[in-house]
Amino acid sequence: MKVFVTRTLPGKALDRLRERGLEVEVHEGLLLPREELLRKVEGAVGLIPTVEDRIDAEVMDQAPGLRVIACYSVGVDHVDLEAAQARGIRVTHTPGVLTEATADLTWALLLAVARRVVEGVDYARAGRWQAWHPELLLGLDLGGLTLGLVGMGRIGQAVAKRAEAFGMRVVYTSRTPKPLPYPYLPLEDLLATADIVSLHAPLTPETYRLMDRERLFAMKPGSILLNTARGGLVDTEALVEALQGHLFGAGLDVTDPEPLPQGHPLYALPNAVITPHMGSAGKRTRERMAEMAVENLLAVLEGREPPNPVG
């Protein structure tokens, strides 16, 4: 029985599949062209895709014996869940394991934007650092500012704990209020209140471009937008406009489109700090994600209930 893995994975988790006598095919390249995905998935009973891979009905139909799609991710918006259900294919994911790593990266982006770290590095490397000056690269002091969290799942709550350590006030919005020690606000009130808005909501048809032009300009003047969730939550063209005078800056680990093409206007803005979707990129975290994906896949193939099913 064949398992196709769409990228090399850190650690030794895939060895478990080989030990069970499964044929494991791993795509070695950085990019996986669509036509190659369609070709390599043929004959597979198990598939381990990443968020880069669009797994739709066409892919599933290339592998009539496919029994499980074990996503190497928390989000599953890259998988057509209705098509999988219609074909009796189980879909799993890797929740929980990347909470702290993603919260860390969210905080790294906040510090980088608020204290203009990337601008400072570029300034020094360009040979422009000739003297200290009281008004050089002035940024924002975080203590006493209000952090507004849009989405209050595991990652949102982990970010809130970091904010408390920095002496910040935390408010949040979500589909429903939660029993948490932070004030709940409707989204529009949060945008008008928060000095930093951090997105931690799933991407759904309802949340697509949640932060459109109207909402970006409803944020406080001089505030910061952070997105370590999904790029589709933000209207990218409107964000480019908002960063040219309305917002202090933005920290983005995800974008729409993703990746951003070379020459995109966001790259030209010094107050936009952009990282290549590396929120979970801690070595231990990524190895644990691989272990979870493999365990989910094996459970389905061996007739057990997977630990982390979707739906």
Side-chain angles (χ1 to χ4, degrees), residues 73-74 93-102 154-155 285 288-289 292 308:
S73 60
V74 175
H93 63 155
T94 61
V97 66
L98 47 69
T99 296
E100 298 301 326
T102 305
R154 291 186 181 102
I155 296 172
T285 297
R288 180 62 184 131
M289 289 172 64
M292 291 176 69
N308 300 289

Side-chain angles (χ1 to χ4, degrees), residues 6-288:
T6 66
R7 300 295 188 284
T8 57
L9 302 181
K12 299 181 178 181
L14 295 181
D15 290 346
R16 288 189 62 201
L17 301 179
R18 299 182 180 98
E19 291 166 0
R20 296 294 208 283
L22 295 167
E23 174 193 347
V24 181
E25 182 176 356
V26 181
H27 177 70
E28 300 286 343
L30 178 65
L31 302 176
L32 177 59
R34 177 74 174 180
E35 59 274 14
E36 193 166 351
L37 169 61
L38 292 171
R39 179 174 59 82
K40 289 188 172 181
V41 78
E42 290 181 2
V45 296
L47 174 63
I48 301 181
T50 73
V51 293
E52 290 287 315
D53 309 305
R54 181 166 54 88
I55 309 301
D56 56 13
E58 183 182 24
V59 174
M60 299 175 201
D61 288 343
Q62 286 293 107
L66 189 63
R67 294 169 57 190
V68 56
I69 300 169
C71 296
Y72 184 76
S73 60
V74 175
V76 293
D77 48 278
H78 57 299
V79 178
D80 186 333
L81 298 179
E82 290 186 3
Q85 184 177 27
R87 290 159 177 77
I89 302 169
R90 298 298 302 272
V91 180
T92 66
H93 63 155
T94 61
V97 66
L98 47 69
T99 296
E100 298 301 326
T102 305
D104 285 348
L105 196 278
T106 303
W107 211 255
L109 287 172
L110 174 54
L111 289 171
V113 175
R115 296 304 305 273
R116 302 176 67 180
V117 172
V118 176
E119 290 179 78
V121 170
D122 291 344
Y123 185 88
R125 285 181 172 170
R128 298 171 59 196
W129 184 21
Q130 299 178 9
W132 182 88
H133 191 280
E135 294 184 329
L136 177 63
L137 292 170
L138 293 180
L140 302 181
D141 300 304
L142 295 183
L145 298 185
T146 297
L147 172 67
L149 296 164
V150 179
M152 204 54 162
R154 291 186 181 102
I155 296 172
Q157 292 179 47
V159 172
K161 291 179 181 178
R162 287 155 176 77
E164 289 185 83
F166 275 70
M168 300 177 70
R169 175 175 178 255
V170 176
V171 297
Y172 78 98
T173 192
S174 63
R175 284 174 293 184
T176 56
K178 299 175 182 287
L180 296 169
Y182 313 112
Y184 170 89
L185 296 176
L187 177 58
E188 310 306 329
D189 293 344
L190 181 146
L191 297 178
T193 300
D195 301 291
I196 296 100
V197 174
S198 190
L199 305 181
H200 303 284
L203 181 61
T204 66
E206 293 72 31
T207 62
Y208 177 68
R209 293 198 171 177
L210 178 73
M211 297 301 295
D212 56 14
R213 187 184 188 280
E214 181 179 356
R215 287 194 171 117
L216 287 168
F217 280 89
M219 292 173 60
K220 290 176 64 173
S223 58
I224 291 172
L225 178 71
L226 304 174
N227 189 6
T228 55
R230 285 292 184 265
L233 296 174
V234 179
D235 182 333
T236 303
E237 292 184 7
L239 178 60
V240 170
E241 182 184 354
L243 285 169
Q244 298 178 77
H246 181 66
L247 299 181
F248 183 85
L252 309 171
D253 188 47
V254 290
T255 58
D256 183 23
E258 186 173 311
L260 283 179
Q262 290 185 354
H264 192 280
L266 270 178
Y267 287 132
L269 299 176
N271 56 343
V273 176
I274 304 164
T275 52
H277 203 148
M278 52 188 281
S280 64
K283 183 176 183 294
R284 180 177 59 190
T285 297
R286 290 279 174 90
E287 289 180 354
R288 180 62 184 131

